[in-house]
Amino acid sequence: MAEGSAAVPSTELLEWPKKDRRRFLHAVYRVGDLDRTIKFYTECFGMKLLRKRDIPEEKYSNAFLGFGPEESHFVVELTYNYGVTSYDIGTGFGHFAIATPDVYKMVEDIRAKGGNITREPGPVKGGSTVIAFVKDPDGYIFELIQRASTPEPLCQVMLRVGDLDRSVKFYEKALGMKLVKKVDNPEYKYSIAMMGYAEEHETTVLELTYNYGVTEYTKGNAYAQVAISTDDVYKSGEVVEHVIQELGGKVTRKPGPIPGINTKITSFLDPDGWKTVLVDNEDFLKELQ
């Protein structure tokens, strides 16, 4: 074999992310008081506490919350590091979103429980969709979006990026996502791209936001990553490495099992430094049992 020819990936390999069984599993982020956040999410948002684990030897605890079982729904994975009560969210992380049939009623309920409403319910600027914004006890923003019905209420993770076209290409090529919607709003000097594995109202999407002229953001130390499922972390990892060479980014963990749990994963940063973890489908289901 000629030297260097192995570096050219096959068409079959590059098509793999589109054929793979992928979905958003969870968003991971850090909180200063686990019980306080669980109480807020269950009482104000109507989430269910799905599981909780304490790892004293590593000095942290996790709680998983969502609107349905982890086998089929996107959930939040909260991390509490012993003794750490606050974090810096940074300027790059935007918000999570929850779809609900009645935003006005949800806001009333949240307000009655002492929640912090940062934008009153009403139609989005220049549109008809009713939205509101709420801040959780750690300062994470949740957008509430009015939708008649949805199979996945936890429906968005919004991240700010410095080059929208580059990010869209990265998530299409490295993760097999589809561009489900793109909106340019010159009046307010921003553009958004919704990336996902199905239409926006059917599933969770990644909302990438580009603010005109802003190429860099601070990441802080609060939001960590999204996890996405795959049938083959090794093959997926190979694709990611190739796309990173073309568009930028960094592999932070080569494909392989996590010591102690044996779930196979790989993790990497996109060109803006946002982290994704790919998790083996079968190993993930075993972990839940």
Side-chain angles (χ1 to χ4, degrees), residues 72-106:
S72 53
H73 285 70
F74 183 56
V75 307
V76 295
E77 177 183 336
L78 308 175
T79 300
Y80 169 69
N81 291 303
Y82 291 10
V84 186
T85 56
S86 68
Y87 293 92
D88 168 27
I89 291 175
T91 58
F93 176 79
H95 60 254
F96 301 108
I98 295 170
T100 178
D102 190 341
V103 167
Y104 292 96
K105 184 177 185 318
M106 194 172 187

Side-chain angles (χ1 to χ4, degrees), residues 202-261:
E202 294 169 15
T203 184
T204 304
V205 295
L206 203 53
E207 179 183 346
L208 304 173
T209 298
Y210 169 67
N211 290 303
Y212 291 10
V214 185
T215 56
E216 279 183 32
Y217 294 93
T218 60
K219 296 290 172 301
N221 59 0
Y223 171 80
Q225 68 223 25
V226 287
I228 291 170
S229 63
T230 175
D231 278 338
D232 188 335
V233 294
Y234 298 97
K235 212 169 172 181
S236 297
E238 232 183 300
V239 176
V240 167
E241 282 203 36
H242 171 72
V243 177
I244 282 173
Q245 282 172 12
E246 182 199 345
L247 295 168
K250 183 186 174 186
V251 174
T252 53
R253 191 189 185 110
K254 295 264 188 192
I258 302 168
I261 309 177

Side-chain angles (χ1 to χ4, degrees), residues 4-281:
S5 61
V8 180
S10 66
T11 308
E12 187 251 345
L13 181 70
L14 294 179
E15 287 297 310
W16 164 248
K18 292 188 181 74
K19 294 173 181 163
D20 195 9
R21 280 189 308 152
R22 297 204 174 177
R23 70 178 184 89
F24 286 94
L25 300 176
H26 44 254
V28 184
Y29 53 103
R30 300 170 186 100
V31 297
D33 181 332
L34 207 51
D35 292 333
R36 176 185 67 183
T37 304
I38 291 168
K39 184 174 165 37
F40 188 86
Y41 287 8
T42 52
E43 291 182 3
C44 293
F45 294 151
M47 289 187 194
K48 297 178 187 80
L49 174 62
L50 302 166
R51 61 186 168 122
K52 203 173 173 184
R53 65 182 176 201
D54 189 33
I55 323 283
E57 62 276 17
E58 298 287 336
K59 297 192 170 138
Y60 77 89
S61 307
N62 290 129
F64 295 78
L65 295 99
F67 292 98
E70 285 180 74
E71 289 86 346
S72 53
H73 285 70
F74 183 56
V75 307
V76 295
E77 177 183 336
L78 308 175
T79 300
Y80 169 69
N81 291 303
Y82 291 10
V84 186
T85 56
S86 68
Y87 293 92
D88 168 27
I89 291 175
T91 58
F93 176 79
H95 60 254
F96 301 108
I98 295 170
T100 178
D102 190 341
V103 167
Y104 292 96
K105 184 177 185 318
M106 194 172 187
V107 166
E108 255 177 62
D109 293 347
I110 293 169
R111 187 179 273 123
K113 293 180 175 92
N116 180 0
I117 314 301
T118 58
R119 181 209 191 267
E120 291 297 331
V124 69
K125 285 172 185 168
S128 58
T129 306
V130 172
I131 64 163
F133 283 97
V134 175
K135 195 181 275 191
D136 85 354
D138 288 275
Y140 292 100
I141 300 284
F142 280 77
E143 180 179 10
L144 309 178
I145 303 172
Q146 192 146 305
R147 275 186 198 159
S149 68
T150 178
E152 183 48 86
L154 190 57
C155 60
Q156 275 179 19
V157 179
M158 191 276 252
L159 303 171
R160 298 182 179 97
V161 298
D163 179 334
L164 196 59
D165 291 337
R166 178 184 65 185
S167 295
V168 167
K169 266 187 213 152
F170 184 88
Y171 284 97
E172 283 175 337
K173 290 182 171 187
L175 284 157
M177 290 185 194
K178 292 186 288 199
L179 173 61
V180 295
K181 185 166 99 180
K182 197 173 179 189
V183 178
D184 187 32
N185 201 325
E187 192 186 341
Y188 296 103
K189 297 191 170 143
Y190 73 90
S191 303
I192 59 166
M194 302 287 195
M195 308 295 298
Y197 295 106
E199 292 309 309
E200 200 187 343
H201 59 278
E202 294 169 15
T203 184
T204 304
V205 295
L206 203 53
E207 179 183 346
L208 304 173
T209 298
Y210 169 67
N211 290 303
Y212 291 10
V214 185
T215 56
E216 279 183 32
Y217 294 93
T218 60
K219 296 290 172 301
N221 59 0
Y223 171 80
Q225 68 223 25
V226 287
I228 291 170
S229 63
T230 175
D231 278 338
D232 188 335
V233 294
Y234 298 97
K235 212 169 172 181
S236 297
E238 232 183 300
V239 176
V240 167
E241 282 203 36
H242 171 72
V243 177
I244 282 173
Q245 282 172 12
E246 182 199 345
L247 295 168
K250 183 186 174 186
V251 174
T252 53
R253 191 189 185 110
K254 295 264 188 192
I258 302 168
I261 309 177
N262 291 326
T263 298
K264 292 182 288 297
I265 68 162
T266 183
S267 66
F268 55 92
L269 306 179
D270 77 357
D272 288 277
W274 296 116
K275 188 176 176 185
T276 299
V277 178
L278 286 166
V279 183
D280 180 272
N281 266 314

